[in-house]
Amino acid sequence: DKETKLSVSPESFERQMKFLHDRKYNVVGLDKIMSYLRKEEKTPPKTVAITFDDGFYNNYKYAYPVLKKYNLPATIFVITDKIGSEGFLGPDQIKEMSGSGLITIGSHTMSHCWLPDADDAKLSKELSGSKEALEGVIGGGVKFLCYPLGAHDGRVQEASRKAGYSAAVATNPGISMRADDIFAIKRIRISRTSDNLFVFWVETSGYYTWMKEHRDE
């Protein structure tokens, strides 16, 4: 079900966003995260960025109204081959959200392929093609990339730089990865197991990252 795949319920999502708002978390966009990682600004306590992968229509139907309600910025990474397909965002929704000033649109490549296995031509097409397609939709620049399934290596990171991206996010790359690498920004997945707000707080606080990585050692 594209409406619920890898997602919390709309009710749980609203509770989580209300929690961030009421507890005065420093919810920021990826531009700010880059500034913090580059040490251009000191990272305030309780800083978190909200991201969504794939570009499902439920991001517009359920998440966007809640984000507007609490004035919380977020980034949506869109698979461009899926734009307009059943269950996915269409161009009008993408453009509307981007124009709100609250939602940043990023690339999740064209076809959501495993990038490390792509040859140079395929890799370039996936990265540059998706960037150009999204820029055509929103009428502005696309600076951020999300690696499909978090998969990347040095070649993929360099190709991402050459394609014109400013930063890229992965999914909990592991304890060996540099914490300040703007082409491998760590994330923690918020899924159905995060319905309990204490678990959600632990994840966003950074303690969850520490516990998970040290548990995996």
Side-chain angles (χ1 to χ4, degrees):
D1 183 353
K2 294 184 179 69
E3 286 289 320
T4 57
K5 185 180 179 182
L6 295 177
S7 64
V8 298
S9 68
E11 296 78 14
S12 292
F13 180 75
E14 172 142 18
R15 287 200 302 271
Q16 292 170 351
M17 296 305 102
K18 184 177 188 300
F19 178 86
L20 293 178
H21 176 270
D22 292 353
R23 297 296 181 93
K24 300 189 185 306
Y25 270 72
N26 180 44
V27 182
V28 299
L30 290 184
D31 276 321
K32 274 290 186 185
I33 294 295
M34 285 176 57
S35 181
Y36 297 149
L37 292 176
R38 289 170 170 166
K39 305 292 193 288
E40 296 168 353
E41 297 181 60
K42 184 177 180 180
T43 308
K46 300 199 299 187
T47 291
V48 63
I50 301 165
T51 65
F52 301 86
D53 288 2
D54 302 328
F56 290 118
Y57 178 71
N58 62 14
N59 296 170
Y60 178 80
K61 183 177 180 181
Y62 297 118
Y64 182 45
V66 174
L67 294 168
K68 287 195 295 183
K69 178 179 178 179
Y70 295 108
N71 195 35
L72 299 176
T75 301
I76 298 175
F77 293 104
V78 176
I79 303 169
T80 55
D81 282 356
K82 296 291 187 179
I83 294 174
S85 300
E86 182 181 359
F88 288 87
L89 294 169
D92 290 344
Q93 288 102 39
I94 293 171
K95 187 172 183 178
E96 178 187 338
M97 289 191 291
S98 176
S100 72
L102 203 61
I103 305 299
T104 298
I105 300 298
S107 167
H108 204 22
T109 72
M110 293 181 67
S111 68
H112 199 264
C113 70
W114 187 265
L115 294 178
D117 286 350
D119 61 29
D120 290 347
K122 170 73 169 173
L123 180 59
S124 178
K125 182 179 180 182
E126 289 284 339
L127 298 174
S128 297
S130 57
K131 187 174 188 295
E132 291 169 5
L134 289 170
E135 288 175 343
V137 171
I138 68 174
V142 170
K143 299 191 294 185
F144 303 114
L145 167 72
C146 174
Y147 305 117
L149 304 175
H152 66 286
D153 54 21
R155 183 178 71 101
V156 171
Q157 288 189 228
E158 182 57 28
S160 302
R161 290 188 183 92
K162 288 182 177 178
Y165 294 101
S166 300
V169 302
T171 305
N172 197 34
I175 196 168
S176 63
M177 300 298 293
R178 285 172 42 201
D180 62 349
D181 188 345
I182 62 171
F183 276 87
I185 299 173
K186 295 184 179 186
R187 297 185 300 165
I188 296 296
R189 172 169 286 160
I190 304 296
S191 61
R192 293 181 188 280
T193 60
S194 305
D195 282 356
N196 181 302
L197 290 181
F198 175 74
V199 175
F200 182 71
W201 176 82
V202 171
E203 291 183 351
T204 58
S205 70
Y207 290 112
Y208 182 84
T209 304
W210 185 89
M211 288 189 293
K212 182 172 183 179
E213 290 177 353
H214 284 259
R215 183 189 65 205
D216 290 345
E217 283 186 279

